[in-house]
Amino acid sequence: MAVTESVTGGTSGGARGAHEGILRRQSARESRARTYARALPIVPVRARGLTIEGADGRRYLDCLSGAGTLALGHNHPVVLEAIRKVLDSGAPLSVLDLATPVKDAFITELFRTLPPGLADRARVQFCGPAGTDAVEAAFKLVRAATGRTGILAFTGAYHGMTTGALAASGGAGDVRVARLPYPQDYRCPFGVGGPRGAELAARWTETVLDDPKSGVPLPAGMILEPVQGEGGVIPAPDDWLRRMRRLTADRSIPLIADEIQTGVGRTGAFWAVEHSGVTPDVMVLSKAIGGSLPLAVVVYRDDLDVWEPGAHAGTFRGNQLAMAAGTATLAHVRENALAERAGLLGARMLSQLRALQNDFTCVGDVRGRGLMIGVELVDPEGDESTGDAEEQERAAGEATTAGEVTTARQAGEARAQGGGDAVAAARGAAVSGWEGEARPAPRPAAPELASAVQRACLERGLIVELGGRHAGVVRLLPPLTITDEQATAVLDRLADAVAAVARDPAAHGAGPRPPEGRKKPDG
């Protein structure tokens, strides 16, 4: 009660003391494994929509949204009403896998939103309450259905924190999953980017599957994220995703789409696979489908339904409050076309954020899809070179083998015309796929600058997340209900934070001040 009174009274000494006391006790008593609490030293006590109010009386715009869980923001009225209705009805709150009216309504609404090719013949498995539980269940399912064991996954992936999910994620240690290149423009593994880079990645995958000496037996399934979130907000090219669908279908490999963070309208379509028209065999869903409460399911094609009774279970798979909140969320997003709005608003936000990329050399890339947006911070003084000559030649050779460029011919012509510099330029142009010029290589990631921007945002009342290969990407995951005015406020605060860090990184704990010329030259 004392905290509530101090919050309503503003940032009084009592409120500040309560806030600091809670943080001290958390630090003393909770595990060192805590993450968000380290970067975001706030104590939320009240929240509504995009706004969080802390125990110290400060208000924040929340673009973390429970790591994408809060599609409708905090405490949306339709969610609260659905929860209260179940509580007031006297219905049981946890029922294992028994049928209930609440579960029946949730499944009906969920199936109403699924891609048409899957909805007509879908089965649903309720799992433990976290997305990683759904990933584990999906792996067990495809292994049981195919009689095979291996899993194909992609560099940069994140699928959860349990053993099997971690093995398919980008930071795996004891690898039991075959890893494939995930296409991206800014840090393309082939130094190419764009459609050509995606084609090389697809060909690599096809070779691994069809080469009897690749060391990768025919797998039980392939899992991918339509947009890599923790990997740095990297959207999969639609053509590449369609190619993965054809490759897996032709070889009877179940395709698993991880829509845990991308689903329920986040990317501008209800499910992110819909951008490409792809229908996966399996979808793993969590986060937003529970309307802010823990819920995870696997949805899959009926011919994969080979489970024996009890083959996969979980004590909390019957969470009635989460199902009611999820039904309300799914219906509200669908009925109010919030996915479409996310696509339009996200495109506008991306366009405005690209001004930062033009203005500041520490902003290497701005990317995303819908309201899943990333701003990558880089070392403005870092070397832009792609590596030594031998490495460039290797990359060029791979591109030539794939039929995309003719490096050898171009290099030969350059050598005849004028020496090593011309050869290097020809190689760079060939590997990049750019017409007449070498593709600029990305500067090194700058996680310390990203952390500084995150801190500067918090000082300005904006909560953002970090992600990416080196935690160098500032991520925005605002609720789908964000207004135009709120979006403007978010962009203004982020832009101000980036400018402040670029102007004086040392003042924000990010190293010495750079030399003059922090802004990119005009033109």
Side-chain angles (χ1 to χ4, degrees):
M1 184 64 181
V3 170
T4 302
E5 290 175 351
S6 65
V7 166
T8 56
T11 55
S12 67
R16 172 60 63 179
H19 162 88
E20 292 177 351
I22 290 170
L23 290 179
R24 280 197 306 272
R25 289 189 291 276
Q26 179 186 45
S27 178
R29 299 187 295 200
E30 288 191 29
S31 166
R32 288 176 56 85
R34 66 191 186 280
T35 54
Y36 297 107
R38 295 179 184 276
L40 303 170
I42 62 175
V43 180
V45 295
R46 190 176 295 109
R48 184 72 168 221
L50 183 69
T51 304
I52 284 180
E53 189 170 345
D56 59 356
R58 291 198 64 196
R59 289 181 173 84
Y60 303 88
L61 300 180
D62 180 15
C63 282
L64 174 58
S65 299
T69 298
L70 305 172
L72 303 183
H74 294 276
N75 293 320
H76 193 281
V78 303
V79 173
L80 297 182
E81 181 182 359
I83 292 172
R84 289 193 188 101
K85 186 175 180 181
V86 174
L87 291 173
D88 293 343
S89 72
L93 299 184
S94 186
V95 294
L96 300 174
D97 65 355
L98 300 178
T100 70
V102 173
K103 178 195 277 189
D104 184 64
F106 173 78
I107 295 174
T108 298
E109 183 59 39
L110 176 63
F111 277 34
R112 187 177 285 134
T113 71
L114 293 175
L118 183 59
D120 296 341
R121 50 181 305 191
R123 295 288 185 272
V124 60
Q125 168 74 30
F126 288 83
C127 309
T132 190
D133 300 312
V135 171
E136 296 284 355
F139 289 170
K140 287 175 62 176
L141 174 73
V142 297
R143 284 167 173 152
T146 64
R148 304 188 290 264
T149 58
I151 298 292
L152 296 178
F154 291 86
T155 54
Y158 178 77
H159 299 293
M161 293 300 291
T162 52
T163 302
L166 275 175
S169 299
D174 181 16
V175 177
R176 301 179 182 179
V177 174
R179 199 80 50 194
L180 300 167
Y182 191 94
Q184 56 173 307
D185 286 341
Y186 189 60
R187 297 191 186 276
C188 175
F190 303 102
V192 179
R196 296 184 179 190
E199 171 65 16
L200 289 172
R203 291 191 182 200
W204 182 287
T205 300
E206 187 171 18
T207 298
V208 165
L209 289 172
D210 293 344
D211 182 355
K213 296 296 184 180
S214 69
V216 180
L218 192 67
M222 173 190 284
I223 186 168
L224 56 78
E225 299 158 276
V227 180
Q228 287 193 343
E230 301 302 321
V233 193
I234 303 173
D238 292 337
D239 285 343
W240 175 84
L241 195 51
R242 286 188 282 267
R243 182 78 169 272
M244 294 303 100
R245 173 67 285 186
R246 290 195 300 272
L247 289 176
T248 52
D250 290 348
R251 294 158 181 79
S252 298
I253 302 169
L255 178 63
I256 306 167
D258 182 340
E259 291 264 14
I260 291 170
Q261 191 167 98
T262 56
V264 194
R266 168 64 56 190
T267 67
F270 209 99
W271 307 107
V273 291
E274 293 179 296
H275 292 290
S276 61
V278 162
T279 300
D281 303 299
V282 183
M283 293 173 64
V284 291
L285 313 176
S286 188
K287 291 192 185 290
I289 66 163
S292 75
L293 299 179
L295 187 64
V297 302
V298 183
V299 180
Y300 52 90
R301 210 179 57 239
D302 55 4
D303 61 304
L304 297 173
D305 194 22
V306 299
W307 292 122
E308 294 294 332
H312 194 78
T315 301
F316 296 106
R317 66 194 188 276
N319 187 338
Q320 298 294 281
L321 291 181
M323 292 178 192
T327 302
T329 297
L330 294 170
H332 191 80
V333 172
R334 177 179 56 81
E335 292 168 358
N336 292 276
L338 293 187
E340 291 82 353
R341 171 168 167 71
L344 293 172
L345 181 56
R348 291 205 299 271
M349 293 176 72
L350 277 171
S351 177
Q352 293 175 55
L353 283 170
R354 288 195 173 109
L356 297 177
Q357 189 177 358
N358 294 331
D359 288 344
F360 299 105
T361 55
C362 66
V363 178
D365 195 30
V366 175
R367 55 185 179 259
R369 197 157 205 173
L371 291 176
M372 195 170 180
I373 296 170
V375 178
E376 182 161 351
L377 277 296
V378 297
D379 180 358
E381 302 300 310
D383 185 4
E384 288 186 306
S385 69
T386 56
D388 59 27
E390 181 178 332
E391 177 63 17
Q392 291 187 20
E393 186 168 4
R394 182 196 60 76
E398 289 175 353
T400 302
T401 301
E404 295 302 310
V405 292
T406 55
T407 309
R409 175 182 58 79
Q410 291 177 342
E413 292 173 355
R415 187 176 288 108
Q417 294 173 7
D421 290 343
V423 172
R427 282 176 178 158
V431 174
S432 74
W434 283 33
E435 295 295 333
E437 59 178 324
R439 179 187 180 89
R443 286 188 167 93
E448 72 287 350
L449 288 180
S451 294
V453 169
Q454 185 184 44
R455 290 191 296 271
C457 283
L458 196 65
E459 292 169 2
R460 290 156 176 77
L462 175 63
I463 297 172
V464 297
E465 185 176 12
L466 300 183
R469 300 321 204 251
H470 303 281
V473 179
V474 175
R475 300 180 58 203
L476 298 178
L477 291 165
L480 310 188
T481 52
I482 185 174
T483 66
D484 290 346
E485 293 77 15
Q486 289 173 329
T488 298
V490 166
L491 296 181
D492 287 347
R493 295 183 193 191
L494 176 57
D496 191 52
V498 170
V501 171
R503 181 169 54 248
D504 193 354
H508 295 82
R513 181 172 182 164
E516 292 300 321
R518 64 178 177 82
K519 296 190 75 169
K520 291 183 179 178
D522 293 338

